[in-house]
Amino acid sequence: MTRAAGLDALASFLAGSGADYAATRNTDPGRDDAPTTSCLSPYLRRRLLTEEEVARAALSAFGERGADKFVSEVFWRTYFKGHLETHPETWARYRAGRDAARARLADEPGLRRTHDRAVAGETGLDGFDAWAAQLVEQGFLHNHARMWFASIWIFTLRLPWELGAAFFLRHLLDGDPASNTLSWRWVAGLHTRGKPYLARRDNIREFTRGRHDPAGLNEDAASLAEEIPPREVPLAHADTAPDGPVALLLHLDDLAPETLPLGNARVTRVAGLLTSDEEASDTVRAADAAAMADALARAAAHFGCPAEPMRDGWAGGLPVVTPWAPVGPSADALPAGCRRIRRAWDERAWPLSNRGYSRLRGAIPKVMAP
Ligand SMILES: Cc1cc2nc3c(=O)[nH]c(=O)nc-3n(C[C@H](O)[C@H](O)[C@H](O)COP(=O)(O)OP(=O)(O)OC[C@H]3O[C@@H](n4cnc5c(N)ncnc54)[C@H](O)[C@@H]3O)c2cc1C
């Protein structure tokens, strides 16, 4: 998990499936066939690649019309980030709901059996079991498979959505508090209230090229509901980097130190704060550690200064600057007193992400303006 590997993946996508992205992206080719999508999400999740650079690369490869769908999908990631920043309660509620659902598992043997079969891929539901296995083995699922899986989990197996979101977060190499939590809520009909996503047998058959044809799906379920949606809060203000020497603290939400808006700050030392999700699998932790090691090596070369894992006293009394850490484990672990700087991309897009996606979608040219 390095920036170089991410750039290779981007180059393959631009030279290959990228040209047909709009037409083929909904097809899940399965684990053994060539992907129909970019598979860049593990790099974007850690900002080994930035949203801005992949969107601009697609624009220059395919032009405005040819890149439109891909750029719009990249902006879904930006949107979910901004939405969680303006509705942080969603993350707290998810975690409380997950813990409450786990308590139910202990008390309700039927629910526990269904849950255990679901995560072991032993439900007997065609497709679902293969996706559960693929998730655990590869740490990745195609977007459509994620939608089908989540929908079947919620509406056919009638399992608490928070447990499914936790299962994803444990194993996905791109596991992300915003995209994961809000996508599960979207499938459940909680994000776009009253509009659930229902997995349909014929749709699965078509977009898996006939590999899966599951019988017995609940295709007529009602949305989940909550009395009060998570509260909106104003987007917190970012800091600017001070002029002169600073210490730069990197974390897993932004590992592209070369392009941070540092103004006239001069980075003289760098440290890495490695905080994986508390429930992440060993595979995800290893990817996190490799990504951090790569970023520290690049930062040392770029700034010409030492770059090491964070330890006590590393900053030597200098002001500590850090890329903005959105809601999640890095933000929770940041030491007090850091100056948190935000990229122009987020600064422009997040204030437009507090409601539905269409507002941000319409503002994409503005966000991308040089
Ligand atoms: C239930 C569920 C859970 C999900 N959990 C996560 C998660 O934890 N982390 C995560 O990064 N994505 C998540 N997604 C979104 C999406 O499935 C993945 O981003 C996408 O499949 C990654 O594959 P790709 O890089 O080939 O995407 P591409 O289709 O090539 O898209 C390019 C990039 O755009 C962004 N993107 C594309 N589709 C979406 C989308 N629907 N929502 C948000 N961003 C998108 C991703 O950063 C992606 O890498 C989830 C979707 C669902 C339905």
Side-chain angles (χ1 to χ4, degrees):
M1 184 65 53
T2 60
R3 175 165 165 79
L7 288 169
D8 284 350
L10 176 59
S12 313
F13 173 67
L14 296 177
S17 60
D20 293 330
Y21 180 81
T24 59
R25 60 175 282 274
N26 279 328
T27 297
D28 174 7
R31 54 201 289 175
D32 301 323
D33 264 5
T36 52
T37 61
S38 70
C39 300
L40 290 174
S41 51
Y43 305 102
L44 289 165
R45 159 68 183 96
R46 299 171 178 85
R47 277 197 166 154
L48 288 167
L49 302 179
T50 65
E51 291 91 325
E52 175 159 10
E53 73 179 314
V54 302
R56 290 202 193 286
L59 268 178
S60 76
F62 307 124
E64 215 168 293
R65 281 186 58 191
D68 179 68
K69 193 65 199 164
F70 179 74
V71 170
S72 162
E73 292 304 313
V74 171
F75 267 93
W76 267 103
R77 169 180 171 74
T78 304
Y79 164 73
F80 280 144
K81 280 304 201 200
H83 198 86
L84 199 61
E85 288 299 288
T86 50
H87 299 78
E89 191 189 350
T90 311
W91 177 240
R93 274 201 206 180
Y94 150 66
R95 299 205 315 168
R98 176 199 65 189
D99 295 345
R102 284 191 180 143
R104 279 184 62 201
L105 290 183
D107 293 343
E108 298 176 38
L111 188 72
R112 165 118 228 155
R113 262 194 308 279
T114 307
H115 172 266
D116 290 354
R117 282 187 194 137
V119 297
E122 293 170 356
T123 63
L125 285 165
D126 185 23
F128 185 93
D129 290 348
W131 299 319
Q134 185 184 349
L135 173 66
V136 172
E137 286 160 29
Q138 295 191 328
F140 194 80
L141 285 179
H142 184 276
N143 180 58
H144 224 157
R146 296 182 199 206
M147 291 161 62
W148 297 319
F149 185 96
S151 180
I152 294 169
W153 178 284
I154 297 168
F155 298 114
T156 298
L157 298 173
R158 296 180 196 283
L159 286 164
W161 72 266
E162 295 95 335
L163 294 180
F167 179 48
F168 268 30
L169 211 48
R170 179 189 303 275
H171 293 289
L172 278 175
L173 283 167
D174 62 26
D176 181 84
S179 285
N180 192 55
T181 312
L182 293 168
S183 295
W184 274 85
R185 284 177 55 85
W186 176 82
V187 170
L190 295 170
H191 183 72
T192 311
R193 294 186 89 189
K195 291 194 180 156
Y197 173 77
L198 296 177
R200 299 190 190 283
R201 180 179 187 172
D202 56 355
N203 180 265
I204 293 175
R205 199 171 46 233
E206 179 181 350
F207 288 103
T208 59
R209 298 178 177 145
R211 271 192 333 281
H212 299 301
D213 186 18
L217 302 188
N218 183 358
E219 299 192 14
D220 192 26
S223 172
L224 299 194
E226 61 193 353
E227 253 173 53
I228 306 171
R231 197 163 46 92
E232 182 181 334
V233 298
L235 185 63
H237 286 294
D239 303 311
T240 49
D243 291 352
V246 299
L248 175 65
L249 182 58
L250 298 178
H251 53 71
L252 290 171
D253 286 274
D254 196 322
L255 295 177
E258 301 90 339
T259 53
L260 285 171
L262 288 164
N264 293 321
R266 191 164 45 81
V267 175
T268 60
R269 55 188 72 188
V270 180
L273 172 67
L274 182 63
T275 315
S276 299
D277 185 87
E278 59 191 356
E279 301 193 341
S281 70
D282 289 346
T283 312
V284 172
R285 283 175 196 277
D288 286 343
M292 178 59 79
D294 175 61
L296 289 175
R298 281 185 288 110
H302 183 76
F303 297 113
C305 69
E308 293 169 345
M310 191 176 96
R311 52 183 167 70
D312 284 350
W314 72 277
L318 290 172
V320 176
V321 171
T322 192
W324 188 269
V327 172
S330 299
D332 292 344
L334 278 182
C338 295
R339 302 195 193 188
R340 302 181 302 158
I341 55 173
R342 212 148 52 204
R343 292 173 185 272
W345 183 274
D346 299 333
E347 198 67 19
R348 290 177 188 177
W350 287 356
L352 304 171
S353 304
N354 56 342
R355 300 285 154 78
Y357 175 62
S358 57
R359 186 150 156 246
L360 179 60
R361 172 107 173 79
I364 288 176
K366 217 170 88 193
V367 176
M368 289 195 68

